[in-house]
Amino acid sequence: MAVVRVALDTRSYDIVIEQGALTRAGTYLAGYARKGRLVVVTDAHVAKAQLPRLEASLRAANVAVEPVILPPGEQTKSWRHLEELLDALLALEIERGDHVVALGGGVIGDLVGFAASILKRGCHFIQAPTTLLAQVDSSVGGKTAINARAGKNLIGSFYQPALVLIDPSTLDTLPVRETRAGYAEVVKYGLIDDPDFFAWCEEEGHKLLAGDAGAREYAIERSVAAKAKIVGEDERETSGRRALLNLGHTFGHALEADTGFSDTLLHGEGVAAGMALAFRYSARLGLCTSEDADRVTAHLKAMGLPHDLASAHVTADGATLVAHMLHDKKMAAGTLPFLLARGIGRTFLSKDVVLDDVAAFLDEDRAAAA
């Protein structure tokens, strides 16, 4: 078992990483149950795979469980399902002192966190992430959101959980594609500022995808420790430090938008292709070497992840993709910051990228890969 602390003064909380943690959930969560009850929000897939052992453990600790089950998929991060969830929580008479448990991947975590932030002006919530992407990224740091017609995660809030309970054994029930998509967020931490961790990914990453428990726990702990440190330094992206966590996301969200935020391109797959594009664009600008960009692309490709527009199933031209980027929530005074790199482990925030040049790069990159 490992415990990582997110240090945010009075809003600090622990991230507990333990194989089989859901089976022992009563030990961790009973103290958060008001009047011996916890509401657990999940989706239909996770309800079948993970909810029974969570319920059994809580009931063994004399905690009653009230499940709220939503549809699976990115489309659940919507106004309609937010309203559905809020109505369900109100019907269950959730109070400001209650804790709602988010059991699922990033969609459930983001939706439940946002609902908790606005229900009665704020109740508490606990993250119990069941996908690799949620375990290493979205469950930590307090970013909550739903999607809008204009783009991804445009309606949301910063709202920290009371606890994050990570059970790596939940990954046993995931499709390989979902685990690969989450692996992109693991690699991201090495590319931001930890070249030794990227080298570990190159050597050992295949073990994580193959289900090796030790590799999983090491990668999860190292990833959440990196994110916890950044969040503790810059919770609301005011200094620019936390913005580094968006490596690959500006390109990636544009690719997701072009594929309709659908199963054609999962979020982690979009991030993977986005990181490869960010490094190749950095090389084009002379910021990093082509060898570093090729190394990033080669690793993502070796792990079965999208690494260019074709492998991401994106057919739009550069101008269309840049138009999607204009809806990015990070736009400020008409300028879109980009995460670029001076090398592996040397990511930085650039505020002087010319979008017409980005469009030209995307068209050139597609042509070079053809």
Side-chain angles (χ1 to χ4, degrees), residues 93-275:
E93 299 181 348
I94 290 293
E95 297 180 3
R96 294 177 72 179
D98 285 327
H99 290 76
V100 179
V101 179
L103 176 69
V107 168
I108 290 295
D110 283 3
L111 179 67
V112 173
F114 185 42
S117 76
I118 59 176
L119 184 69
K120 298 185 176 178
R121 296 191 176 92
C123 64
H124 305 293
F125 81 111
I126 293 165
Q127 290 273 20
T130 59
T131 67
L132 182 60
L133 189 149
Q135 289 173 355
V136 302
D137 185 63
S138 63
S139 67
V140 178
K143 280 189 175 180
T144 74
I146 59 172
N147 300 331
R149 288 190 183 93
K152 190 178 177 72
N153 296 332
L154 294 181
I155 303 160
S157 61
F158 287 96
Y159 198 69
Q160 301 296 338
L163 174 74
V164 180
L165 184 63
I166 297 175
D167 183 349
S169 73
T170 61
L171 305 183
D172 292 337
T173 65
L174 285 183
V176 174
R177 184 186 177 196
E178 288 278 356
T179 305
R180 280 200 189 102
Y183 178 75
E185 296 281 5
V186 173
V187 173
K188 179 185 74 176
Y189 294 105
L191 295 178
I192 290 172
D193 63 0
D194 192 346
D196 290 341
F197 185 48
F198 180 72
W200 180 89
C201 290
E202 290 179 303
E203 293 294 325
E204 307 290 338
H206 65 283
K207 293 181 181 178
L208 185 157
L209 295 188
D212 182 271
R216 282 177 175 173
E217 291 181 38
Y218 176 81
I220 292 169
E221 181 181 357
R222 187 122 175 203
S223 297
V224 299
K227 183 160 189 181
K229 183 176 185 296
I230 290 174
V231 169
E233 294 170 351
D234 182 22
E235 180 185 7
R236 294 174 175 260
E237 290 188 15
T238 53
S239 73
R241 174 70 174 152
R242 183 166 181 170
L244 296 178
L245 295 169
N246 294 319
L247 176 63
H249 286 62
T250 299
F251 283 109
H253 283 171
L255 307 187
E256 287 184 85
D258 191 67
T259 52
F261 297 108
S262 68
D263 288 345
T264 300
L265 186 69
L266 302 179
H267 173 64
E269 294 173 335
V271 170
M275 290 189 298

